[in-house]
Amino acid sequence: MPTVIIDPGHGGMDPGAVYKGRQEKDDNLRLALAVGELLAQNGVDVLYTRTDDVYDSPYRKAMIANESGADYLISFHRNASPIAGNASGIETLVYADRGVAAQMARDINRELAALGFRDIGVIERPGLAILRRSRMPAILIETGFIDNDADNLKFDEEFEEIAAAISNGILETLKNEGQLPDSISSASYPPEISNNTQNERPPSPLSDNTPTSKLYRVQVGAFKNRNYAYELNSQLTEEGFPAFILMDGDLYKVQVGAFSRLENAIRMEYRLRAAGYDTYITT
Ligand SMILES: [Zn+2]
């Protein structure tokens, strides 16, 4: 399975762009988690540089990605213009406009443009540390301008469609690269979860519009050895759990779901324990 490391831009003391109290770091995290959840449901191994409100420099995040062994790096951001409200649309940044990174950027832009976003294009930004220092194909998606009210309205009202569009662009590239079977269908959000221990689909973690600053995650294991983490992650994914790996210092933390409500994390914990896993809830 291809492995994608997802980097929600900014975090912690670095809010990114801010407009009318809205912080880019929160939008980035929310969208990144939703896209990651969809990718995990469609045969991709998903890793994150952060799943909560913490700061690492772009350089450090590139190093985390390099150490993770991931095949692709996808960084999530929102744009801002020098004069607020003067620009709108989506664009995807790459180190150089060539190869599979540029192809993935185009596949994502096309899907987002189909939702009605203005497509600014694929832009070369070789100076960005996250793109320059990472060794795998890397892209940085700017999902609309945070200082544009119309873009923000679209971001909020069509959040699920946007997450699905970005996921589908990524899946399209992976299929064309032969890294995913053609039988993988298009993603839709909230994702379908196949599990037989409970008929009811667990609520999607991020669809209730609550702030992402505090999320409950169910941890199933923490390893210094990457292979152990990958193995457990694959096993959980095959059993239908929305598992991912959080890179935290020198630890690979295997977690399932990211829930804004504690009760949902507890329900996931019950399902995991019923399937024989040791778990604990972390924030
Ligand atoms: Zn940013």
Side-chain angles (χ1 to χ4, degrees):
M1 286 207 290
T3 305
V4 170
I5 186 160
I6 289 181
D7 170 44
H10 311 285
M13 66 180 185
D14 170 18
V18 178
Y19 177 70
K20 293 182 181 172
R22 183 174 183 132
Q23 302 186 90
E24 186 198 343
K25 65 176 183 178
D26 298 326
D27 284 355
N28 294 341
L29 179 58
R30 187 163 159 248
L31 183 57
L33 288 169
V35 171
E37 197 184 1
L38 285 172
L39 293 177
Q41 291 292 323
N42 285 280
V44 178
D45 277 336
V46 174
L47 285 65
Y48 291 101
T49 58
R50 70 174 177 106
T51 56
D52 49 20
D53 190 19
V54 294
Y55 177 76
D56 277 303
S57 71
Y59 173 80
R60 173 70 194 134
K61 284 170 156 183
M63 295 303 114
I64 290 170
N66 290 343
E67 288 159 19
S68 77
D71 302 309
Y72 297 90
L73 166 64
I74 301 173
S75 189
F76 285 78
H77 287 257
R78 298 202 63 212
N79 227 329
S81 70
I83 302 164
N86 262 22
S88 71
I90 56 94
E91 64 184 12
T92 301
L93 313 181
V94 293
Y95 178 79
D97 190 356
R98 60 168 185 255
V100 66
Q103 185 56 51
M104 185 178 281
R106 284 203 168 74
D107 287 338
I108 290 167
N109 284 2
R110 189 189 58 244
E111 294 284 335
L112 287 171
L115 293 180
F117 278 110
R118 190 168 84 88
D119 182 0
I120 300 170
V122 176
I123 313 289
E124 291 188 341
R125 289 289 296 279
L128 292 178
I130 191 82
L131 301 177
R132 187 174 77 245
R133 297 296 193 153
S134 49
R135 281 192 236 108
M136 68 285 293
I139 61 172
L140 188 157
I141 311 168
E142 301 269 19
T143 308
F145 282 73
I146 198 169
D147 57 8
N148 181 299
D149 290 317
D151 276 10
N152 285 341
L153 189 66
K154 196 169 179 62
F155 187 92
D156 294 335
E157 289 193 337
E158 297 176 43
F159 179 79
E160 301 185 352
E161 289 85 350
I162 290 167
I166 293 172
S167 306
N168 285 332
I170 296 165
L171 294 173
E172 180 70 20
T173 311
L174 297 178
K175 280 190 268 189
N176 286 334
E177 289 292 306
Q179 292 168 318
L180 277 181
D182 283 332
S183 56
I184 296 280
S185 58
S186 294
S188 66
Y189 195 88
E192 292 299 323
I193 292 175
S194 60
N195 189 279
N196 45 20
T197 58
Q198 194 172 337
N199 277 337
E200 197 183 343
R201 184 170 59 73
S204 204
L206 298 155
S207 55
D208 56 3
N209 246 332
T210 47
T212 47
S213 51
K214 188 174 189 186
L215 293 172
Y216 299 96
R217 286 160 289 127
V218 185
Q219 187 157 307
V220 189
F223 306 91
K224 285 198 172 176
N225 183 317
R226 180 209 297 170
N227 294 336
Y228 295 157
Y230 273 54
E231 209 169 285
L232 179 58
N233 187 60
S234 292
Q235 191 185 324
L236 286 161
T237 305
E238 275 163 29
E239 291 176 28
F241 292 105
F244 57 83
I245 298 171
L246 169 63
M247 306 293 296
D248 188 5
D250 62 350
L251 277 183
Y252 294 78
K253 294 180 170 176
V254 182
Q255 302 183 337
V256 179
F259 303 95
S260 43
R261 296 203 188 99
L262 177 60
E263 68 205 65
N264 295 335
I266 291 170
R267 283 168 66 189
M268 179 58 82
E269 190 167 49
Y270 283 148
R271 286 179 54 206
L272 284 160
R273 288 189 173 169
Y277 292 102
D278 259 344
T279 62
Y280 81 95
I281 291 176
T282 171
T283 54

